[in-house]
Structures are given as structure tokens and as C-alpha cells.
Amino acid sequence: MPKIGMEPLRRRALIDAAIRAIGERGSLDVTMSEIAGRAGVSAALAHHYFGAKEDLLFATMRHILAELGRDLRDAVAECAGLARVRAIIAVNFSQKQFRPEIIAAWLAFYVEAQRTPALRRLLRVYARRLHSNLVFALEPLLPRTEAERTAEGIAALIDGLYIRRALKDGPPDAASAVALVEDYVTLRLGGRHDA
């Protein structure tokens, strides 16, 4: 007889195991059995909870995005203007987000989104939210068209720094990544520091 309340714990264990497996492999070329073994459950149970491997991978990306969203809402709750922009940048390069296995997962999911419509939609939702959050923060500082363009540049730098990091050895250097993006923001704001 199944233990009541175990399903959420096992689902989370499978998602965490998927992140670790993708991070170590550097691709989505992992099996459901491999992920299940890392989570300490049978492959049959993993299939019971998620169906196909693609469903588990979709749930894994949704989990990563949900955590990023929660962290972002907490970080910007009391911020406006430049402080809000900096908070958005900082969250994207936080210790929780900018770690090797999450970086590898992002890269793998970007690649897979080219073939999987559901992942493509999920990543488009993420991109639109990042863009709108940045535009909202930048509008008090720049005209609308400049805010839009600057938001696009910040998002491109964030994505690009994740890709560049995925191609390097050694631990991620979040401080350097944040500094590069903030340098771009300073240039776009023309040295303005008003929040």
C-alpha cells in the first residue's frame, strides 16, 4: 500500500535527479532508468508519476522556471527602477540558479526546444516574462523604445553568459557575469543612477 504524501516527495526527487543527470551528461541524453536510479525509485514508478521521459523533462524545466520566478518575485518586491533591474540580474546569477547542473539543464532545454513545441512554448513564456519585468523596471529610467531595446540586450546577455558558462570548466563566476550585465546597463542608461 502506498504511503500517503510520498508522491510529491518522489516527484521532487525525480526532478532533482533529472537536473543532476542532465548536468553531468551535459545533454538530455539520459534515460528514465538512470534518473529513477538517482532518485532511489524504480523506472516503473518514474513512468507512473510522469509518463514518458519528455514529460519528466518538461516538469523539470517548469520546476526550474518556477523556482526562478519565486526568487525573482521575492527579490523585486520592494524595488523600483535601477534597483529592480539589478535585482533581476542578481537573481539570474544567484548561487541557486547559476550552478553547473542548472546551467547545463538550461543549455539542454534550449536545444530541445528547437524540436519540442511544449518546451518551446515554456521557454517563450519565460522570455516574455523576463522582458516585461525588465521593461517595467526600465521605463521610469528610459523612453519606452529604449527600455524595450535595453531589456532585450540584458536578456541576451543573461542567456549568452549561461551558454558561455556551459562551455567552460571550473565553477561559475557569478560576480563577473553580474558585473558584465551591469556594465551594459550603465552604458544604456548613459551613466544615470537614479532609481
Side-chain angles (χ1 to χ4, degrees):
M1 195 154 147
K3 295 180 183 176
I4 296 175
M6 286 303 291
E7 183 174 348
L9 297 175
R10 288 184 177 147
R11 282 179 173 273
R12 176 61 193 263
L14 284 161
I15 288 170
D16 289 343
I19 291 169
R20 287 192 310 276
I22 293 165
E24 287 176 19
R25 187 73 49 89
S27 76
L28 298 181
D29 188 26
V30 293
T31 65
M32 197 69 141
S33 293
E34 181 183 349
I35 294 167
R38 288 170 179 266
V41 301
S42 70
L45 191 60
H47 282 289
H48 170 74
Y49 287 140
F50 289 102
K53 180 179 93 168
E54 291 74 26
D55 299 323
L56 172 57
L57 297 176
F58 184 78
T60 300
M61 194 65 218
R62 284 189 63 175
H63 171 77
I64 290 170
L65 288 171
E67 279 196 337
L68 178 61
R70 278 191 300 274
D71 292 348
L72 183 61
R73 282 188 298 279
D74 291 345
V76 301
E78 302 296 323
C79 298
L82 186 56
R84 188 177 183 97
V85 173
R86 287 185 171 145
I88 293 167
I89 295 165
V91 165
N92 278 277
F93 295 106
S94 70
Q95 189 174 22
K96 186 176 179 184
Q97 296 295 326
F98 201 58
R99 54 191 167 108
E101 60 273 18
I102 298 293
I103 293 167
W106 272 103
L107 188 59
F109 284 117
Y110 271 118
V111 170
E112 187 63 23
Q114 301 306 304
R115 296 188 305 251
T116 308
L119 276 178
R120 186 173 25 252
R121 281 191 301 276
L122 191 60
L123 289 173
R124 282 183 180 156
V125 167
Y126 152 75
R128 282 193 303 267
R129 285 184 183 158
L130 176 59
H131 184 78
S132 70
N133 276 319
L134 287 165
V135 169
F136 178 79
L138 289 163
E139 276 189 315
L141 307 171
L142 294 167
R144 175 72 185 199
T145 56
E146 290 300 309
E148 293 268 353
R149 190 169 170 188
T150 302
E152 188 67 27
I154 293 168
L157 281 168
I158 290 170
D159 291 343
L161 287 164
Y162 267 74
I163 292 168
R164 287 186 64 133
R165 176 57 202 103
L167 302 174
K168 289 184 178 180
D169 291 326
D173 183 1
S176 172
V178 168
L180 280 168
V181 181
E182 287 192 355
D183 284 351
Y184 170 77
V185 172
T186 300
L187 286 171
R188 293 296 297 162
L189 292 177
R192 284 178 253 169
H193 295 289
D194 46 335

